[in-house]
Amino acid sequence: MEGTTGRSKSEMESGSTSNNNESHIAFKEGSWFGQFKNGSNPWMARYVYGLIFLASNLLAWAVRDYGRNAFPEMERLKNCQGGRGCLGAEGVLRVSLGCFAFYFVMFLSTAGTSSLYNCRDTWHSGWWSVKIGLWIALTATAFLVPTFIIQIYGEIAHFGAGVFLLVQLVSVISFITWLNDCCQQDKTEDKCHIHVMLLAIAAYIICIVGIIMMYVWYAPEPSCLLNIFFITWTLVLIQLMTSVSLHPKVNAGILTPGLMGLYIVFICWCAIRSEPAGENCIRKAEASNRTDWLTIIVKKEAPVGDAVPYGYGFFHFVFATGAMYFAMLLIGWNTHHIIKKWTIDVGWTSTWVRIVNEWLAVCVYLWMLVAPVILLRCRQTNESA
């Protein structure tokens, strides 16, 4: 009797597992529309959340640049003060607040989800009509809140955008170190040795060319001291990262400092490009039209058993801070800054945010290099004592 009961339980468990696997395979092999309609597909959900985030970005841009023509009804709202409180920079903050509220609600409702096929997984991966309605409702509600709340949110958004930059920074450095570790594994070291050398040499060549071009474009005169300092200090930081990485006690190779060099040269270029148009030291001083290319990449890996393929809570947390970040880009990190049409992340505040981000990237990278050496020395000291 006990054997029969055990067999029935195992059959039920195997049956439920097979049903889950079958539904999982059906979702992955179905059409795009079928996956969206049926829901409960975490892989497809990422793209839908990305489209919602993109829609918020476009709406914020439209409110800032074309609000008075495209949304004349807003001028009649009590909190809009004739349009001044709901359009322009404050309009961007209102759209950002609605987007942040949506992803923060999703963060609270999905944080800690560990397995597929439960109610929180279904909520994350399905119920799209309800969630799109929630996003629209929260965005609309943001235009009804008093102005002083929007001003408070604008100050908080500076911190949230900084958190987003930090997450982005750690993700880039982690990816670079992961790539270097993969190339240094025993199984692939011989095959990757030539590729690593070629990639590292190419990275350093691009860094040098980028430094030279920035001197030509953004420091044409000796009086351009600030730009000369930014560019020269970037070159010094590349040399510092390379020296620490090649130190015998660290021995991290030349690939990671080369790739990090590309990253900080790019940040330095973005920082100088963020300087207000009209500066004498910028030959290419026309208003720039650019976007931030760096983003958090979610790995697409098959889950083990019924485990979720990625952290739902963290996924929504990144989008929530990203909502604050795009607001700062569109208003130039200054809630009282008047920014021209078709410009993103322009102003002295934006420039210094980028520069500090570059310096912080180097500090984090150097700490990741020297921390194991310091911890090992401390451990040896404690053991000897």
Side-chain angles (χ1 to χ4, degrees), residues 180 184 244-247 250-257 365 369:
N180 185 67
Q184 290 183 349
V244 174
S245 180
L246 294 179
H247 192 277
V250 177
N251 194 23
I254 62 172
L255 178 60
T256 54
Y365 173 73
L369 290 180

Side-chain angles (χ1 to χ4, degrees), residues 136-152:
I136 294 174
L138 290 173
T139 303
T141 304
F143 284 89
L144 302 177
V145 301
T147 300
F148 78 92
I149 295 180
I150 300 300
Q151 294 174 350
I152 295 174

Side-chain angles (χ1 to χ4, degrees), residues 178-197:
W178 169 81
L179 180 62
N180 185 67
D181 292 340
C182 289
C183 294
Q184 290 183 349
Q185 290 180 356
D186 295 336
K187 296 181 180 179
T188 60
E189 186 174 5
D190 295 335
K191 296 180 180 179
C192 290
H193 184 69
I194 297 178
H195 298 85
V196 168
M197 290 296 298

Side-chain angles (χ1 to χ4, degrees), residues 102-113 119-121 123-124 316:
F102 170 75
Y103 284 107
F104 192 70
V105 168
M106 293 304 303
F107 163 72
L108 294 177
S109 58
T110 60
T113 305
C119 58
R120 287 195 294 175
D121 171 65
W123 168 243
H124 168 80
H316 292 296

Side-chain angles (χ1 to χ4, degrees), residues 199-222:
L199 184 60
I201 292 173
Y204 278 106
I205 291 175
I206 296 174
C207 288
I208 295 173
V209 172
I211 293 291
I212 294 174
M213 296 307 295
M214 283 194 291
Y215 274 122
V216 173
W217 286 342
Y218 305 128
E221 301 175 1

